[in-house]
Amino acid sequence: MNAGLTDDEFEALKEVSRGLKSKRLSPLVLKHAKLLSGLKYVDYGRNGIMKITERGTQTLFMKHCIDGLRKIAVNPIALLDANVKEFLLKKSHISSIEGAVGYEITAKGAESLADIDAQQRK
């Protein structure tokens, strides 16, 4: 799901997703540009400026969803991005806590987290 990207590589991808204004790259992005380009997460436009691809956007979104699921596991009232919360609710990975503020992980969400953790250990 995350192609084995490190936290540094995700940060570089996130920086590109915010939109670069020039051809000059930050040291972080420059360091990981070849890998991100090879994985088709970023591409160069006609003007030579690096931009994120659809695949890169999806990868970042899934990373945010996994991180959001982990946040809810630790803290039921953790703040999530609206689109992440909507996705996790729609996929039944989290549910609202009855009579309280916050969310709880469903069995499906716990199973997904366990699968993700098992894959990352390999």
Side-chain angles (χ1 to χ4, degrees):
M1 183 179 311
N2 65 10
L5 295 179
T6 65
D7 289 339
D8 248 11
E9 292 160 348
F10 272 116
E11 282 302 314
L13 188 59
K14 190 186 303 184
E15 189 174 321
V16 173
S17 76
R18 289 191 289 258
L20 302 177
K21 304 285 187 237
S22 71
K23 293 179 186 179
R24 291 190 65 186
L25 302 175
S26 71
L28 180 66
V29 174
L30 187 61
K31 180 180 177 182
H32 301 293
K34 186 175 181 180
L35 173 76
L36 295 175
S37 180
L39 292 172
K40 308 271 190 242
Y41 292 154
V42 297
D43 199 3
Y44 291 90
R46 291 185 138 199
N47 57 4
I49 297 176
M50 185 183 285
K51 60 183 171 46
I52 192 164
T53 63
E54 181 65 30
R55 183 175 180 178
T57 303
Q58 289 174 356
T59 300
L60 262 183
F61 181 71
M62 291 311 297
K63 168 83 167 127
H64 289 297
C65 289
I66 293 166
D67 291 346
L69 205 52
R70 291 187 198 285
K71 282 182 189 177
I72 294 296
V74 174
N75 180 9
I77 57 171
L79 293 176
L80 300 176
D81 291 339
N83 54 354
V84 170
K85 181 172 55 173
E86 180 182 334
F87 179 80
L88 292 174
L89 284 168
K90 187 167 108 176
K91 294 295 182 180
S92 301
H93 289 303
I94 62 173
S95 63
S96 299
I97 298 174
E98 292 292 324
V101 176
Y103 298 94
E104 62 186 355
I105 293 184
T106 62
K108 183 177 179 180
E111 183 179 319
S112 293
L113 263 182
D115 286 347
I116 291 165
D117 289 340
Q119 286 178 3
Q120 288 179 347
R121 284 189 208 116
K122 288 182 181 179

PDB file of all heavy atoms in Angstrom, residues 3 5 13 16 23 42 69-70 79 81 94 103 107 118:
ATOM      1  N   ALA A   3       4.258   1.159  -0.573  1.00  0.00           N
ATOM      2  CA  ALA A   3       5.471   0.866  -1.335  1.00  0.00           C
ATOM      3  C   ALA A   3       6.723   0.940  -0.482  1.00  0.00           C
ATOM      4  O   ALA A   3       7.807   1.152  -0.987  1.00  0.00           O
ATOM      5  CB  ALA A   3       5.579   1.805  -2.538  1.00  0.00           C
ATOM      6  N   LEU A   5       7.663   3.222   1.685  1.00  0.00           N
ATOM      7  CA  LEU A   5       8.241   4.544   1.817  1.00  0.00           C
ATOM      8  C   LEU A   5       8.569   4.847   3.272  1.00  0.00           C
ATOM      9  O   LEU A   5       7.820   4.477   4.177  1.00  0.00           O
ATOM     10  CB  LEU A   5       7.283   5.617   1.287  1.00  0.00           C
ATOM     11  CG  LEU A   5       6.964   5.589  -0.203  1.00  0.00           C
ATOM     12  CD1 LEU A   5       5.982   6.697  -0.548  1.00  0.00           C
ATOM     13  CD2 LEU A   5       8.213   5.725  -1.034  1.00  0.00           C
ATOM     14  N   LEU A  13       7.027  13.727  -0.416  1.00  0.00           N
ATOM     15  CA  LEU A  13       5.823  13.617  -1.241  1.00  0.00           C
ATOM     16  C   LEU A  13       4.779  14.636  -0.796  1.00  0.00           C
ATOM     17  O   LEU A  13       4.128  15.274  -1.630  1.00  0.00           O
ATOM     18  CB  LEU A  13       5.262  12.190  -1.161  1.00  0.00           C
ATOM     19  CG  LEU A  13       4.119  11.839  -2.098  1.00  0.00           C
ATOM     20  CD1 LEU A  13       4.525  12.041  -3.553  1.00  0.00           C
ATOM     21  CD2 LEU A  13       3.679  10.402  -1.867  1.00  0.00           C
ATOM     22  N   VAL A  16       5.720  18.052  -2.112  1.00  0.00           N
ATOM     23  CA  VAL A  16       5.391  18.188  -3.535  1.00  0.00           C
ATOM     24  C   VAL A  16       3.883  18.372  -3.705  1.00  0.00           C
ATOM     25  O   VAL A  16       3.444  19.151  -4.547  1.00  0.00           O
ATOM     26  CB  VAL A  16       5.896  16.972  -4.345  1.00  0.00           C
ATOM     27  CG1 VAL A  16       5.404  17.026  -5.785  1.00  0.00           C
ATOM     28  CG2 VAL A  16       7.411  16.887  -4.295  1.00  0.00           C
ATOM     29  N   LYS A  23      11.425  25.321 -10.228  1.00  0.00           N
ATOM     30  CA  LYS A  23      12.180  24.104 -10.501  1.00  0.00           C
ATOM     31  C   LYS A  23      13.130  23.765  -9.366  1.00  0.00           C
ATOM     32  O   LYS A  23      13.591  22.633  -9.267  1.00  0.00           O
ATOM     33  CB  LYS A  23      12.980  24.258 -11.795  1.00  0.00           C
ATOM     34  CG  LYS A  23      12.126  24.357 -13.027  1.00  0.00           C
ATOM     35  CD  LYS A  23      13.003  24.529 -14.258  1.00  0.00           C
ATOM     36  CE  LYS A  23      12.159  24.776 -15.481  1.00  0.00           C
ATOM     37  NZ  LYS A  23      13.000  24.968 -16.659  1.00  0.00           N
ATOM     38  N   VAL A  42       5.439  11.177  -8.451  1.00  0.00           N
ATOM     39  CA  VAL A  42       5.614  12.551  -8.916  1.00  0.00           C
ATOM     40  C   VAL A  42       5.996  12.515 -10.380  1.00  0.00           C
ATOM     41  O   VAL A  42       6.465  11.500 -10.898  1.00  0.00           O
ATOM     42  CB  VAL A  42       6.697  13.317  -8.106  1.00  0.00           C
ATOM     43  CG1 VAL A  42       6.297  13.461  -6.653  1.00  0.00           C
ATOM     44  CG2 VAL A  42       8.054  12.661  -8.232  1.00  0.00           C
ATOM     45  N   LEU A  69      -6.514   6.197  11.669  1.00  0.00           N
ATOM     46  CA  LEU A  69      -6.985   5.000  12.364  1.00  0.00           C
ATOM     47  C   LEU A  69      -6.154   4.750  13.619  1.00  0.00           C
ATOM     48  O   LEU A  69      -6.686   4.430  14.680  1.00  0.00           O
ATOM     49  CB  LEU A  69      -6.910   3.805  11.407  1.00  0.00           C
ATOM     50  CG  LEU A  69      -7.825   2.627  11.641  1.00  0.00           C
ATOM     51  CD1 LEU A  69      -9.269   3.061  11.767  1.00  0.00           C
ATOM     52  CD2 LEU A  69      -7.684   1.633  10.504  1.00  0.00           C
ATOM     53  N   ARG A  70      -4.852   4.940  13.508  1.00  0.00           N
ATOM     54  CA  ARG A  70      -3.967   4.780  14.674  1.00  0.00           C
ATOM     55  C   ARG A  70      -4.265   5.834  15.744  1.00  0.00           C
ATOM     56  O   ARG A  70      -4.240   5.540  16.930  1.00  0.00           O
ATOM     57  CB  ARG A  70      -2.509   4.867  14.251  1.00  0.00           C
ATOM     58  CG  ARG A  70      -2.052   3.700  13.418  1.00  0.00           C
ATOM     59  CD  ARG A  70      -0.558   3.759  13.165  1.00  0.00           C
ATOM     60  NE  ARG A  70      -0.121   2.945  12.058  1.00  0.00           N
ATOM     61  CZ  ARG A  70      -0.008   1.628  12.077  1.00  0.00           C
ATOM     62  NH1 ARG A  70      -0.319   0.966  13.160  1.00  0.00           N
ATOM     63  NH2 ARG A  70       0.412   0.972  11.014  1.00  0.00           N
ATOM     64  N   LEU A  79      -8.516  14.569  16.521  1.00  0.00           N
ATOM     65  CA  LEU A  79      -9.008  15.303  15.360  1.00  0.00           C
ATOM     66  C   LEU A  79      -8.480  14.654  14.077  1.00  0.00           C
ATOM     67  O   LEU A  79      -7.303  14.339  13.971  1.00  0.00           O
ATOM     68  CB  LEU A  79      -8.547  16.753  15.415  1.00  0.00           C
ATOM     69  CG  LEU A  79      -9.125  17.608  16.533  1.00  0.00           C
ATOM     70  CD1 LEU A  79      -8.503  18.987  16.519  1.00  0.00           C
ATOM     71  CD2 LEU A  79     -10.631  17.705  16.406  1.00  0.00           C
ATOM     72  N   ASP A  81      -8.755  14.831   9.606  1.00  0.00           N
ATOM     73  CA  ASP A  81      -9.184  15.611   8.456  1.00  0.00           C
ATOM     74  C   ASP A  81     -10.585  15.142   8.072  1.00  0.00           C
ATOM     75  O   ASP A  81     -10.920  13.965   8.221  1.00  0.00           O
ATOM     76  CB  ASP A  81      -8.246  15.391   7.267  1.00  0.00           C
ATOM     77  CG  ASP A  81      -6.875  15.993   7.482  1.00  0.00           C
ATOM     78  OD1 ASP A  81      -6.746  16.899   8.323  1.00  0.00           O
ATOM     79  OD2 ASP A  81      -5.933  15.554   6.799  1.00  0.00           O
ATOM     80  N   ILE A  94     -14.303   3.002  11.483  1.00  0.00           N
ATOM     81  CA  ILE A  94     -14.582   3.662  12.761  1.00  0.00           C
ATOM     82  C   ILE A  94     -16.085   3.893  12.850  1.00  0.00           C
ATOM     83  O   ILE A  94     -16.785   3.871  11.835  1.00  0.00           O
ATOM     84  CB  ILE A  94     -13.831   5.007  12.918  1.00  0.00           C
ATOM     85  CG1 ILE A  94     -14.250   6.016  11.839  1.00  0.00           C
ATOM     86  CG2 ILE A  94     -12.327   4.804  12.949  1.00  0.00           C
ATOM     87  CD1 ILE A  94     -13.675   7.414  12.030  1.00  0.00           C
ATOM     88  N   TYR A 103     -14.907   8.824  18.405  1.00  0.00           N
ATOM     89  CA  TYR A 103     -15.073   7.663  17.550  1.00  0.00           C
ATOM     90  C   TYR A 103     -14.342   6.477  18.149  1.00  0.00           C
ATOM     91  O   TYR A 103     -13.421   6.628  18.950  1.00  0.00           O
ATOM     92  CB  TYR A 103     -14.528   7.945  16.144  1.00  0.00           C
ATOM     93  CG  TYR A 103     -15.259   9.067  15.473  1.00  0.00           C
ATOM     94  CD1 TYR A 103     -14.784  10.370  15.553  1.00  0.00           C
ATOM     95  CD2 TYR A 103     -16.430   8.839  14.782  1.00  0.00           C
ATOM     96  CE1 TYR A 103     -15.460  11.416  14.956  1.00  0.00           C
ATOM     97  CE2 TYR A 103     -17.115   9.873  14.178  1.00  0.00           C
ATOM     98  CZ  TYR A 103     -16.633  11.164  14.269  1.00  0.00           C
ATOM     99  OH  TYR A 103     -17.312  12.187  13.681  1.00  0.00           O
ATOM    100  N   ALA A 107     -14.437  -3.595  14.569  1.00  0.00           N
ATOM    101  CA  ALA A 107     -13.691  -4.843  14.394  1.00  0.00           C
ATOM    102  C   ALA A 107     -12.996  -4.850  13.025  1.00  0.00           C
ATOM    103  O   ALA A 107     -11.855  -5.297  12.897  1.00  0.00           O
ATOM    104  CB  ALA A 107     -14.622  -6.036  14.526  1.00  0.00           C
ATOM    105  N   ALA A 118       1.125  -6.341  10.118  1.00  0.00           N
ATOM    106  CA  ALA A 118       1.738  -7.602   9.710  1.00  0.00           C
ATOM    107  C   ALA A 118       2.513  -7.429   8.407  1.00  0.00           C
ATOM    108  O   ALA A 118       3.600  -7.983   8.254  1.00  0.00           O
ATOM    109  CB  ALA A 118       0.678  -8.684   9.558  1.00  0.00           C
TER     110      ALA A 118
END
